[in-house]
Amino acid sequence: MAESLTIQTDDGSFQALVVRPDTSGPAPVVVVVQEIFGVNAGIRLIAAEYAVQGFIAVCPDLFWRTEPGLSMSENSEENWKKALDIYGAYDFDQGAADVLKTVEAARTIAGGNGKVGLTGYCLGGLMTFLGAARGAPDAAVAYYGGGTERYVGEADGVKAPLLMHLAGDDEFIGPEARATIVEALAGRPNVEVHVYPGRSHAFARPGGNHYDKADAETANGRTLAFFKEKLG
């Protein structure tokens, strides 16, 4: 069952898609943060899969200040251009604050058990890392967050358990950037990083051009076990 949640900020409000499980009783919440294409079919599918697993999925609309309700397919050159233009002007600090407002609202959502996980893909992966570094989700899982290498100086702020998935041949996170991320997070007892050799960016996006079924299932299996352990 899908519904909408209004999130209030200092400069306005935005909507978050909410997808609930069919089960009764309190459920943990997973905040699912979009890629550059908005809360689109792929993000909705991921949210639905979390609901099947017994979680309440909450998907904030990150681009609400530019174009509320944006939902685009990657299978269009025009969509890519529009998405990259919005991304290029995006305020990451403001976005991270929006994500943390969503986490805060998710803690008291009707039907929730008070536990909130945070996950995201690409742009959402970076927002997940920043949310974990600047706020207090109960657990976080970042998928190939572009630009994370620029923020690894904030790693000491990550207190919650963090799982990170990186693609071995990511066209947006090159070898140097990946090494910077891995080195900054190495040895931290609350952080686990997995690199998937040969995979491209967005290898875990359902229906994506670089989707790899085997490694996506491996990564998602790790994520599901992680969230069930930390949020259950």
Side-chain angles (χ1 to χ4, degrees):
M1 182 177 70
E3 60 191 65
S4 185
L5 175 68
T6 300
I7 311 294
Q8 192 66 46
T9 75
D10 293 339
D11 62 331
S13 62
F14 63 94
Q15 300 301 304
L17 171 73
V18 179
V19 184
R20 295 181 178 275
D22 291 332
T23 55
S24 60
V29 180
V30 175
V31 173
V32 181
V33 190
Q34 66 178 66
E35 300 173 302
I36 62 174
F37 302 103
V39 182
N40 63 358
I43 293 299
R44 289 172 182 269
L45 178 58
I46 291 167
E49 290 173 347
Y50 273 113
V52 168
Q53 295 296 332
F55 298 91
I56 300 171
V58 177
C59 311
D61 178 8
L62 290 193
F63 291 160
W64 65 278
R65 292 181 180 85
T66 303
E67 186 172 333
L70 185 66
S71 173
M72 298 189 295
S73 165
E74 68 166 308
N75 298 314
S76 157
E77 185 176 337
E78 182 181 350
N79 285 354
W80 268 97
K81 182 181 184 306
K82 181 175 181 176
L84 289 171
D85 285 346
I86 295 173
Y87 175 75
Y90 189 65
D91 186 323
F92 299 122
D93 293 324
Q94 200 171 50
D98 286 346
V99 167
L100 290 175
K101 286 286 188 183
T102 307
V103 170
E104 182 182 329
R107 287 214 181 276
T108 57
I109 194 170
N113 70 354
K115 295 284 185 119
V116 180
L118 176 60
T119 189
Y121 303 76
C122 184
L123 167 62
L126 172 59
M127 293 298 102
T128 295
F129 175 78
L130 291 179
R134 299 177 183 182
D138 294 293
V141 180
Y143 284 78
Y144 36 78
T148 301
E149 71 279 1
R150 301 196 301 269
Y151 294 90
V152 292
E154 298 188 37
D156 285 347
V158 178
K159 305 303 182 187
L162 170 66
L163 178 61
M164 186 173 287
H165 303 294
L166 297 172
D169 288 339
D170 196 315
E171 61 272 36
F172 298 109
I173 305 173
E176 282 190 20
R178 185 174 66 252
T180 296
I181 296 167
V182 171
E183 182 179 345
L185 299 177
R188 296 176 182 271
N190 60 320
V191 180
E192 185 178 340
V193 180
H194 294 279
V195 178
Y196 299 80
R199 298 285 72 84
S200 298
H201 191 77
F203 73 89
R205 180 205 298 133
N209 294 337
H210 297 299
Y211 179 75
D212 184 88
K213 185 174 186 293
D215 278 347
E217 288 181 351
T218 297
N220 293 337
R222 287 167 170 160
T223 296
L224 182 60
F226 180 81
F227 276 148
K228 285 190 171 181
E229 177 190 351
K230 307 301 182 185
L231 306 178

